[in-house]
């Protein structure tokens, strides 16, 4: 008996309250907030060797963020050390490590661990999580924080294996590849390409940019942050907060121009971007090549002040003939020209998930999340899905940012998930699972709103799933989304007590989630 009690106590100690998958911006933020909320029984699992996610992995030349750092940072941790208003990868990575250290999250992270699957034990109200090295972890709640940009997309071209030179993908940059004095081909003209191209152009012998689609580009109003301003920020964090609020509301107010498809929101920004192009590029032929043929905002609007100047350099060539194949010597385009190259850079983006689940989860009755999501991922508030209790997604379906910082979404979601976790603990619930009708209503709203967005106005992008549906970006303002999820409403969930019975939320549950929401706001 004593032995049994001792072993079950030991087991209980091994059960995590929360298992978080991913130590990037959202997973790390989740860890920090759990600690702030007094919860220490959690672990973050990450496949890599440090925090930072996409900011750890993307080290290509020129890598940085299109959102100003005053907003691309946690709201609770403004940073006086940014050297530019738009931070580069190295600084963002440093900032995230700083946060992990300052808030004491490192001891809670298990690195070099890939999560392969997770099965919900209905009897015990526990997730059994498996790792690639064959271990099993038990947790009451699972939070996935895997982000959209963790797997590079290598576009497939005929003959790619024949190329005798070096090949590198921006998302897994190989720093041993020599570019100095080399003939370099750059495939792609998205947000990544417009950073890497200008960053390497002056090093290489010549640069051929293979463009399939020209993008809308706005200038980047970047500036250095001088020591005097840093000193002011260190002394007066309020200055940084005000700055952040300014950027936040500017993005919110201009969001309709990026999100909606109607002409009244397209004419002005298209005019601004076209006149920027006309000012920067005088050669009419090159200008035509650089002119987009789809609506502003349909694909991500790029922010760069050096792309157009780079395209006009003597040794840079913008190739708009389609890539036919890759040869031993380089790239052959549809016009029959073989571009001889030493290095080919793939800036072809990421495998953004539209279907299937981020981890192979089996929920109530052994149902598979991959199966449920095979035609598209869906979740209530982008966070929870029926039949998969105590499982939460950060930056999941429908909640990517189209116009502002992803952190603004992740932080709101973290607050919501913590309310759910606290409620489970307080009522000792086995399971909290969103009601299917509640989820469906939300999904219908997202689908309905998406019809009004420019994302579905006819171009191809990583925003849309192969069947043309938007289940990636949030079709609305961040402020509206934050209000929507400020409070976890227990009445929208099926609550299962420890005896397996379904129970109703108590008035006190409503009060406590309400109070937590007020505190978080
Ligand atoms: P992306 O937006 O998906 O762009 C990929 C580029 O490769 C496009 O120009 C695409 O052409 C081209 N491409 C793909 N397959 C091709 C093929 N088979 N043949 C020819 N061209 C091909 O990827 P990304 O530039 O890496 O950016 C992805 C997202 O990451 C961005 O939208 C942004 O959210 C984020 N990001 C942000 C920053 C930043 O903040 N500055 C920087 C990098 C990335 P098509 O347009 O014709 O498909």
């Amino acid at each position: 008996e004593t032995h049994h009690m001792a072993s079950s106590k030991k087991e209980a100690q091994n059960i995590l309250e929360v298992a978080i998958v991913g130590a990037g911006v959202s997973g790390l933020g989740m860890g920090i907030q759990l600690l702030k909320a007094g919860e220490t029984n959690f672990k973050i699992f990450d496949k890599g060797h440090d925090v930072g996610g996409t900011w750890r992995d993307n080290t290509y030349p020129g890598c940085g963020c299109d959102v100003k750092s005053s907003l691309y940072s946690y709201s609770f941790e403004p940073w006086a050390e940014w050297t530019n208003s738009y931070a580069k990868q190295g600084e963002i990575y440093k900032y995230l490590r700083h946060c992990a250290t300052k808030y004491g999250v490192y001891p809670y992270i298990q690195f070099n661990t890939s999560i392969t699957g997770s099965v919900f034990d209905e009897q015990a109200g526990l997730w059994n999580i498996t790792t690639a090295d064959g271990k099993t972890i038990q947790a009451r709640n699972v939070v996935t924080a895997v982000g959209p940009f963790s797997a590079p997309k290598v576009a497939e071209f005929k003959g790619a294996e024949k190329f005798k030179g070096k090949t590198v993908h921006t998302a897994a940059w190989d720093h041993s590849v020599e570019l100095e004095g080399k003939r370099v081909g750059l495939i792609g003209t998205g947000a990544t390409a417009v950073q890497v191209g200008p960053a390497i152009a002056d090093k290489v012998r010549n640069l051929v940019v293979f463009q399939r689609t020209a993008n809308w580009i706005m200038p980047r109003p970047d500036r250095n942050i001088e020591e005097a301003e840093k000193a002011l920020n260190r002394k007066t964090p309020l200055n940084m907060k005000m700055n952040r609020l300014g950027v936040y509301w500017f993005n919110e107010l201009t969001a309709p121009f990026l999100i909606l498809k109607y002409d009244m929101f397209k004419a002005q920004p298209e005019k601004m971007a076209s006149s920027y192009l006309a000012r920067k590029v005088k050669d009419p032929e090159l200008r035509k090549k650089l002119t987009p043929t789809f609506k502003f905002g349909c694909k991500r609007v790029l922010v760069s002040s050096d792309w157009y100047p780079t395209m006009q350099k003597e040794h840079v060539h913008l190739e708009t003939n389609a890539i036919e194949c890759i040869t031993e010597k380089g790239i052959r385009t549809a016009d029959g020209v073989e571009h001889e190259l030493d290095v080919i850079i793939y800036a072809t983006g990421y495998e953004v998930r539209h279907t299937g689940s981020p981890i192979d989860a089996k929920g109530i009755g052994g149902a598979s999340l991959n199966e449920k999501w095979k035609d598209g991922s869906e979740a209530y508030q982008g966070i929870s899905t029926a039949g998969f209790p105590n499982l939460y997604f950060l930056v999941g379906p429908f909640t990517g940012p189209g116009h502002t910082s992803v952190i603004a979404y992740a932080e709101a979601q973290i607050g919501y998930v913590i309310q759910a976790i606290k409620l489970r603990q307080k009522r000792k619930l086995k399971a909290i699972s969103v009601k299917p009708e509640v989820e469906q209503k939300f999904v219908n709203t997202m689908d309905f709103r998406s019809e009004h967005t420019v994302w579905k106005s006819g171009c191809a992008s990583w925003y849309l799933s192969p069947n043309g549906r938007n289940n990636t970006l949030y079709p609305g303002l961040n402020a509206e989304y934050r209000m929507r999820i400020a409070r976890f409403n227990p009445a929208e969930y099926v609550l299962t007590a420890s005896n397996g019975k379904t129970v109703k939320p108590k008035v006190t549950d409503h009060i406590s989630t309400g109070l937590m929401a007020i505190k978080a706001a």
Side-chain angles (χ1 to χ4, degrees), residues 319-330:
E319 181 57 62
T320 52
N321 286 297
I323 296 174
E324 194 181 84
C325 63
I326 295 183
T327 65
E328 251 178 54
K329 288 186 187 155

Side-chain angles (χ1 to χ4, degrees), residues 55 60 64-67 149 153 155 157 187-193 195 210 212-213 215 220 299-300 323 347-350 460 462-463:
W55 296 110
Y60 62 84
C65 188
D66 280 353
V67 179
F149 303 137
K153 182 181 121 192
F157 297 104
I187 305 177
T189 49
T192 299
Q195 293 184 327
F210 296 88
R212 187 164 66 180
T213 314
N215 278 306
R220 190 183 191 84
K299 283 169 182 280
R300 185 161 176 109
I323 296 174
T348 47
Y350 305 85
W462 63 264
Y463 299 167

Side-chain angles (χ1 to χ4, degrees), residues 94-109:
K94 189 174 165 193
Y95 169 78
L96 294 170
R97 281 179 295 167
H98 152 80
C99 293
T101 305
K102 177 170 171 179
Y103 292 93
V105 187
Y106 274 117
Y108 299 89
I109 312 178

